Amino acid sequence: ATTPACMIVDQHMPGMTGLELVRQLRDAGGSIPVLLITGSSSPAIVARAAQLGVEKVLEKPPEEHDLLGFVSAWL
């Protein structure tokens, strides 16, 4: 099995938020680089993302070059 180079998550998902998913990942010892996409970026979301070590937060709809740039940085 290969380890993913990075992860892109949406803040609004069924069952939990993207930040909750990242928190669970970090609590389990995961350190994979994360890009969070959100439709409603707020200072609270950005601050919590920074606390959890999220590398980048983008608002919807993200620009293709921003997504590709993030992924390329971790390959």
Side-chain angles (χ1 to χ4, degrees), residues 31-52:
S31 60
I32 187 171
V34 176
L35 165 64
L36 177 73
I37 299 174
T38 179
S40 56
S41 182
S42 70
I45 288 175
V46 171
R48 183 65 179 138
Q51 288 175 341
L52 292 170

Side-chain angles (χ1 to χ4, degrees), residues 8-31:
I8 299 173
V9 298
D10 195 311
Q11 175 61 5
H12 182 70
M13 301 186 304
M16 73 173 61
T17 68
L19 288 175
E20 288 170 341
L21 176 63
V22 174
R23 183 191 52 78
Q24 287 183 10
L25 176 73
R26 298 299 190 235
D27 287 351
S31 60

Side-chain angles (χ1 to χ4, degrees), residues 44-60:
I45 288 175
V46 171
R48 183 65 179 138
Q51 288 175 341
L52 292 170
V54 171
E55 279 71 20
K56 191 168 191 99
V57 177
L58 293 177
E59 288 197 30
K60 290 182 186 176

